[in-house]
Amino acid sequence: MKILVPVKRVVDYNVKIRVKPDGSGVDTANVKMSMNPFDEIAVEEAIRLKEAGVASEVVAVSCGVAQCQETLRAAMAMGADRGILVQTDVELQPLAVAKLLKAVVEKEQPGLVIAGKQAIDDDANQTGQMLAALLGWPQATFASKVVVTDGKLTVTREVDGGLETLELPLPAVITTDLRLNEPRFATLPNIMKAKKKPIDTLTPEALGVDVTPRLATLKVEEPPKRKAGVMVGSVDELIEKLRNEAKVI
Amino acid sequence: MVRDQETLSLLLNTVARFVRERLVPAEAEVARTDHIPEEIVAEMRRLGLFGLTIPEEYGGMGLTMEEEVQVYFEMGHTSPAFRSYFGTNCGIGSQAIVIDGTPEQKARYLPRLASGELIGSFALTEPGAGSDAASLKTTAVREGDHYVLNGTKRFITNAPEAGIFTVMARTDPMKKGADGISAFIVERDTPGLWVGPPDVKMGQRGAHTADVVFENCRVPAENLIGGVEGQGFKTAMKVLDKGRIAIAATAVGVAERMLQDALRYACEREQFGKPIAEFQLVQAMLADSQAEIYAARCMVLDAARRRDAGENVNLQAACAKMFATEMCGRVADRAVQIHGGAGYMAEYGIERFYRDVRLFRIYEGTTQIQQLVIARNLIRKEKLYG
């Protein structure tokens, strides 16, 4: 079985985000970029399935600017076998990415797509679901455990108030939650080997997908500054404030 | 060898992340227990850190010096004990074999050094021969197809962990200086080799040194490095040229870490109603540190590039080692000063770095020895071309 893993290039999770002075978006000039952490979990899960003999090939795919190639190299350094870059300078929105991924799925015919549940830049949490809908495939989002047996998929999901276990036929789309696994560090020799692994470059035009943005961003703002806290003198005072001022207990 | 920017950035980012996520959180524990946890050592092996500089045909990564120093800039952002553990395999513990070893010696030892299965150690210093290394007294006497070693080596880094030692010993007692010295590979379980208890040091807890004693220790003649007597001191000096650039790079990395800690503290700590970073006297300490770090970083990269290009970098390595380590000492002092009373307390960690970095100005040739090396190079050049 072939597994397709979409990976997104986002601002590194350690970077303090700065909003552009004109409020048109986030300043990404000279900012460190990395693979979306949820996508790392997706790559790790795919590699584990390959190591367990369930998957035969892991293909990483990234949509966006030319530098997304670095994100694909990072996935291949972890253990993905090859990469596909759908290159465009257009700002991609979730529906456009889902359409591009659908075209790639039709070309590659994977048995399983494992995606991150959301990207840490726009937190949209849409692409995996949209892809499943466009393909007409079953989906299991927010996966915290994935088991593949006899062509069937058992996925444990983290939902409000507990865990839900689903059984799905293949092919299917999974999106990963934080606790699915702990991604490995790529070893330094594997990083060297990754540069020899192939990357195919495609374009939205070649895939017949119109990626024109459907949504317009009106304004991006910094979150409000945190207000100073209050020191309380005793536990009794704390309980009194929680009950009567904050009204949380 | 990497030689392409994309792969090198991915490699350096991975090291930076390993440092940030795994090593920095373990710093205090390593200092308290004087021991690097086994799982961290295993992870360092798996990452491939032990084989950074060992040629690719022997299972390493064959990084150029320019690439290697950039790894050390990143590794410097945590306690030097971590780099010390794998650093001898990339540097003084393997390089005598890499530079001057016979093909058989390379094939026998380098793959296991690259994987970290074997720890390499470099035994030059003696109780009576520190800076004056050429006066060393350990002897190696040929008896049939063996050499018999007798003598004591002192302050040997990683000796408690080492599986092999590169040992400099005198094979020709008639020659008092450097010409009578040869280099040997001695395996740890060789009868007659004793490793003393770990030394109690000022800092760098987690990294160990000890005495290594040879009492009628019989070493097979095929373990004479390069197979030729009398070359050992030259081999040692070539190893040290490289080692000096590596120490300079580590000093730059640790200085960057200390400045970062001091900067964070200065931006958070408020006195007289505002963060102390807004006071010009504090700013001067931050600025001087940054400028000196930048200068040292440039020197290290230049020396590394020249060595990669095949130049003799005896002078540049000494300059970089002297400047970077003295700079690191000044930055450590300012970082403690910026922290004020907190800087003297163990809780903040900066006093630990202050003690750790004191060693940089001493080992791999003291500052004063670097001054002699630099001056001798200048005078020799003046006599030749002046």
Side-chain angles (χ1 to χ4, degrees), chain A residues 205-218:
Chain A
E205 296 74 41
L207 292 169
V209 176
D210 174 12
V211 292
T212 314
R214 266 50 170 188
L215 308 170
T217 301
L218 300 180

Side-chain angles (χ1 to χ4, degrees), chain B residues 76-357:
Chain B
H77 295 164
T78 185
S79 296
F82 294 113
R83 193 210 67 96
S84 184
Y85 198 90
F86 70 83
T88 51
N89 276 31
C90 305
I92 56 177
S94 71
Q95 288 302 308
I97 304 175
V98 171
I99 296 172
D100 282 338
T102 64
E104 295 74 29
Q105 290 165 351
K106 290 179 183 181
R108 185 169 161 83
Y109 296 108
L110 292 183
R112 284 184 289 155
L113 286 168
S115 69
E117 177 193 335
L118 204 59
I119 300 289
S121 184
F122 181 79
L124 174 65
T125 298
E126 297 183 358
S131 291
D132 183 13
S135 71
L136 64 83
K137 293 198 169 57
T138 297
T139 56
V141 178
R142 177 102 193 204
E143 277 184 17
D145 52 4
H146 281 76
Y147 285 88
V148 179
L149 270 62
N150 278 289
T152 299
K153 296 292 180 180
R154 179 140 294 174
F155 308 144
I156 303 308
T157 302
N158 280 347
E161 290 83 14
I164 59 165
F165 297 86
T166 299
V167 181
M168 269 50 68
R170 192 170 298 283
T171 40
D172 188 344
M174 302 307 288
K175 291 183 182 153
K176 291 290 170 219
D179 292 345
I181 295 171
S182 303
F184 297 89
I185 306 163
V186 185
E187 298 190 9
R188 179 176 194 115
D189 53 10
T190 312
L193 184 157
W194 308 98
V195 176
D199 299 319
V200 178
K201 311 193 301 311
M202 174 194 271
Q204 298 216 4
R205 281 169 64 83
H208 304 133
T209 66
D211 279 5
V212 182
V213 181
F214 302 94
E215 281 176 357
N216 295 320
C217 178
R218 293 176 66 83
V219 178
E222 71 239 33
N223 280 16
L224 172 65
I225 291 181
V228 189
E229 286 187 14
Q231 296 297 307
F233 198 75
K234 290 195 193 85
T235 298
M237 291 304 114
K238 283 186 260 183
V239 169
L240 288 178
D241 270 350
K242 183 176 189 310
R244 283 168 183 167
I245 303 175
I247 297 300
T250 307
V252 168
V254 183
E256 288 175 346
R257 163 68 185 273
M258 293 187 293
L259 176 58
Q260 185 58 45
D261 284 3
L263 178 62
R264 187 179 302 124
Y265 185 83
C267 289
E268 283 169 4
R269 169 73 175 166
E270 288 190 10
Q271 285 292 280
F272 306 102
K274 56 183 172 180
I276 60 169
E278 288 179 26
F279 294 107
Q280 291 185 337
L281 292 176
V282 172
Q283 289 180 356
M285 288 193 274
L286 295 169
D288 287 352
S289 298
Q290 177 59 63
E292 289 192 283
I293 288 171
Y294 182 46
R297 194 179 239 270
C298 292
M299 288 173 82
V300 168
L301 282 168
D302 180 70
R305 287 184 189 123
R306 286 171 186 271
R307 187 178 183 278
D308 288 337
E311 284 185 42
N312 178 340
V313 291
N314 191 248
L315 171 89
Q316 288 80 6
C319 288
K321 200 272 176 182
M322 176 174 84
F323 183 81
T325 59
E326 290 288 330
M327 172 282 287
C328 191
R330 290 190 293 271
V331 171
D333 192 71
R334 293 184 197 118
V336 169
Q337 196 68 17
I338 290 169
H339 278 78
Y344 200 70
M345 300 299 146
E347 187 189 342
Y348 284 81
I350 197 72
E351 64 82 31
R352 189 185 67 232
F353 278 107
Y354 179 87
R355 288 180 288 111
D356 285 351
V357 303

Side-chain angles (χ1 to χ4, degrees), chain A residues 13-14 40 73 188 195, chain B residues 2 6 17 20-21 47:
Chain A
Y13 73 99
N14 284 298
E40 278 191 345
R73 290 276 174 225
L188 307 185
K195 71 179 167 185
Chain B
V2 181
E6 190 183 293
R17 187 168 166 186
R20 192 174 59 233
E21 293 181 6
L47 268 182

